[in-house]
Amino acid sequence: MNLPFAESWRIKMVEPIRTSTREEREQWIKEAHYNVFQLPAEQVYIDLLTDSGTGAMSDRQWSAMMMGDESYAGARSFFRMKDMITRLTGFEYVIPTHQGRAAENVLFSALVKEGDIVPGNSHFDTTKGHIESRRATALDCTIAEAKNTELDHPFKGNVDLALLEDVLRENGDKIPFIIVTITNNTAGGQPVSMANLKGVRALADKYGKPVVLDSARFAENAYFIKTREEGYADKTIKEITREMFDQADAMTMSAKKDAIVNMGGFIATRRPDWYEAAKCYCIPFEGYLTYGGMNGRDMEALAVGLDENTEFDNLHTRIHQVQFLASLLDEYGVPYQRPAGGHAIFIDASKVLTNVPKEEFPAQTLTVELYKEAGIRGCEIGYILADRDPVTRENRFGGLDLMRLAIPRRTYTDNHMRVIAAALRNVYERRDSITRGYAITEEAPLMRHFTVKLAPLAEQ
Ligand code: F0G
């Protein structure tokens, strides 16, 4: 008999979590104005709001923290982190930042100016925000297949190369760089193939443009290349990682994801001119060049996290868990962005709550229903998050209306996955009886999803 799959680690420390009653949750979500961001975390049983900064560090990471050098300048911990980054990526110049969006802020301050166009594959919200706040345009060139949640495609995060070439040909002089996000979070944690990265590189060379990788989940991307792309099965994750970064000039990194730390980020590049230009923004925004918003001990943990999470076993355990959850949803018939992503499952709310009109926010309604059902906190990636059109002030209903269930790394067990799937199944089975959603009663002009207040349109 073949032995079943099991995790590549065992548990040394645990954090108690507690369930609650439906009555409690109904009261709590009402007090939170039906916005899960407003819930105290203690009112949540299984927290799938994000996989960012919510992973469990290893014993090696915790012990590395004791070795933190907290010197203001020239800390040993910085050089340890820098050496690890250079070893994995080949990038010689490293600027630490306190998280991913700070890396974007520092690098884009040096590179993006008014009127520029930055093409890419579904720029993450903060990436887009840092481009748009400089009065430049973030142009999405993701392949069309990504919008069809029912379609199985091994690399749904890919860049549409024909579209990218059109943009390069027509607007070449306005493009400071191309940015490719690996994995493509917004499209559902979907990977980008090596062939596609090489295609982007070839176009970039043809038009004389640099390439930046938004690398928050680069290791998960490497895992998908190894397991799905021809010619990579026998390569190690570290070899694939190096080959991915060989296609780029620089990276921005949110270390809260694939470096498995609670806080941290960096910029790395092979270009001395970019390093020199970005340096000037790091010091006033983040801090001196050898800490940039991070503690010495955090840089130590980051270095170890990068090393560990570019090993196959760790990634296999992680992605296997996400795919296990997906397999249960398949069994129950719950529709999600196919295939399962690296860090999350994105439930297609428009296919679940078909009786809730889009003006009443189906994905948000589903998020509240799942919380009420079992204390599970997902996150709406849909019409509320899409904000209003800056000109017409109308809600933007053009995109997908999804609920993201992001799985933190090494944090929950497969039994938790069973609870999540069963809770969703219960909601799914009574989906036809859910006919009304929510109305917005208060909202911020930008990034409204964090603070929006809602009122139910049906008797609760
Ligand atoms: N790029 C990607 C692809 C991301 O997913 C994120 C964050 C960032 C950049 C920004 O990094 O949070 O360290 O400042 N994503 C989190 C999420 C917040 O929940 O998907 P950060």
Side-chain angles (χ1 to χ4, degrees):
M1 180 183 180
N2 286 338
L3 295 182
F5 173 85
E7 292 78 5
S8 65
W9 35 256
R10 56 182 175 179
I11 297 165
K12 193 177 293 201
M13 188 186 281
V14 295
E15 178 185 359
I17 50 177
R18 83 169 191 90
T19 51
S20 48
T21 64
R22 192 177 176 99
E23 290 68 40
E24 282 176 318
R25 293 192 292 273
E26 279 173 357
Q27 181 60 27
W28 291 335
I29 194 70
K30 186 173 175 197
E31 287 164 9
H33 301 279
Y34 302 94
N35 177 352
V36 293
F37 281 97
Q38 301 296 317
L39 286 170
E42 284 193 323
Q43 295 173 354
V44 175
Y45 174 42
I46 302 175
D47 203 347
L48 309 180
L49 191 62
T50 179
D51 64 320
S52 181
T54 52
M57 292 209 296
S58 67
D59 53 354
R60 287 177 60 216
Q61 284 179 289
W62 280 109
S63 38
M65 285 187 81
M66 296 307 289
M67 300 302 290
D69 175 358
E70 306 300 341
S71 301
Y72 191 94
R76 186 182 56 233
S77 304
F78 168 73
F79 292 106
R80 240 183 236 154
M81 179 181 84
K82 175 175 175 291
D83 288 348
M84 179 59 69
I85 295 166
T86 307
R87 185 152 77 77
L88 289 172
T89 64
F91 296 143
E92 213 178 308
Y93 302 98
V94 174
I95 296 179
T97 60
H98 77 275
Q99 61 184 93
R101 65 199 70 186
E104 292 162 359
N105 190 28
V106 169
L107 187 65
F108 296 0
S109 292
L111 301 183
V112 180
K113 55 179 198 323
E114 187 170 343
D116 279 354
I117 296 173
V118 183
N121 56 338
S122 329
H123 312 63
F124 182 66
D125 317 10
T126 60
T127 319
K128 195 170 176 184
H130 279 299
I131 293 168
E132 290 179 348
S133 66
R134 289 173 175 81
R135 295 178 188 281
T137 307
L139 200 82
D140 185 9
C141 301
T142 309
I143 54 168
E145 286 90 333
K147 294 210 172 64
N148 179 354
T149 59
E150 282 162 295
L151 188 79
D152 259 305
H153 184 298
F155 293 102
K156 240 177 176 175
N158 277 357
V159 177
D160 180 331
L161 296 175
L163 191 58
L164 177 64
E165 177 147 31
D166 286 347
V167 177
L168 286 163
R169 197 184 306 113
E170 283 158 30
N171 299 293
D173 53 329
K174 294 192 194 133
I175 296 175
F177 57 86
I178 301 159
I179 189 159
V180 185
T181 304
I182 53 173
T183 58
N184 183 330
N185 181 2
T186 314
Q190 300 294 326
V192 177
S193 70
M194 188 71 83
N196 194 251
L197 286 175
K198 288 186 174 172
V200 170
R201 178 77 260 170
L203 285 177
D205 287 342
K206 182 170 170 192
Y207 292 90
K209 297 295 168 191
V211 176
V212 175
L213 295 184
D214 175 350
S215 314
R217 301 179 182 85
F218 76 90
E220 290 169 6
N221 202 82
Y223 173 90
F224 285 119
I225 289 176
K226 181 176 168 73
T227 53
R228 289 183 186 169
E229 194 164 352
E230 213 187 312
Y232 288 91
D234 296 330
K235 294 209 164 133
T236 65
I237 297 291
K238 285 191 166 64
E239 285 167 343
I240 296 170
T241 295
R242 182 56 189 264
E243 196 174 327
M244 291 189 312
F245 288 109
D246 281 347
Q247 315 309 318
D249 299 87
M251 68 191 285
T252 51
M253 176 76 187
S254 168
K256 302 172 70 168
K257 286 86 168 171
D258 270 352
I260 321 190
V261 289
N262 303 116
M263 196 56 73
F266 58 85
I267 300 162
T269 179
R270 63 178 91 258
R271 291 184 56 147
D273 56 332
W274 279 12
Y275 175 69
E276 289 304 321
K279 247 164 78 172
C280 311
Y281 295 99
C282 179
I283 297 174
F285 290 169
E286 292 292 295
Y288 184 63
L289 298 171
T290 57
Y291 72 89
M294 271 198 276
N295 297 306
R297 54 182 174 272
D298 292 340
M299 293 191 278
E300 295 278 351
L302 198 164
V304 176
L306 279 179
D307 192 20
E308 284 181 354
N309 204 30
T310 45
E311 289 298 325
F312 181 77
D313 284 357
N314 203 62
L315 287 161
H316 189 49
T317 297
R318 189 247 187 319
I319 308 252
H320 187 276
Q321 184 171 60
V322 179
Q323 291 175 343
F324 173 63
L325 174 58
S327 71
L328 296 177
L329 298 183
D330 285 342
E331 214 174 288
Y332 304 154
V334 181
Y336 60 89
Q337 167 71 306
R338 309 186 68 85
H343 69 295
I345 301 283
F346 289 64
I347 308 291
D348 191 343
S350 60
K351 294 202 164 58
V352 178
L353 298 184
T354 47
N355 294 335
V356 177
K358 62 181 188 309
E359 293 77 11
E360 299 180 10
F361 307 110
Q364 180 63 23
T365 307
L366 185 60
T367 306
V368 173
E369 284 303 316
L370 183 64
Y371 174 73
K372 287 198 292 195
E373 180 68 29
I376 296 163
R377 175 157 69 172
C379 177
E380 192 249 22
I381 307 264
Y383 301 143
I384 293 187
L385 182 113
D387 273 328
R388 289 175 188 272
D389 183 285
V391 181
T392 65
R393 302 307 300 157
E394 292 296 323
N395 281 308
R396 289 195 269 211
F397 292 121
L400 295 173
D401 195 36
L402 307 172
M403 173 178 70
R404 184 180 77 169
L405 304 174
I407 313 298
R409 295 166 184 76
R410 308 191 289 211
T411 303
Y412 293 112
T413 67
D414 285 359
N415 280 330
H416 293 112
M417 301 301 124
R418 288 183 219 278
V419 174
I420 299 161
L424 255 173
R425 179 195 190 160
N426 290 347
V427 175
Y428 189 62
E429 283 184 346
R430 59 181 163 79
R431 63 191 181 281
D432 290 341
S433 67
I434 304 169
T435 55
R436 300 301 308 264
Y438 291 83
I440 292 177
T441 57
E442 243 181 85
E443 66 182 293
L446 257 187
M447 299 213 144
R448 63 182 180 182
H449 59 290
F450 291 117
T451 52
V452 71
K453 291 185 179 170
L454 300 154
L457 291 164
E459 269 316 300
Q460 293 286 312

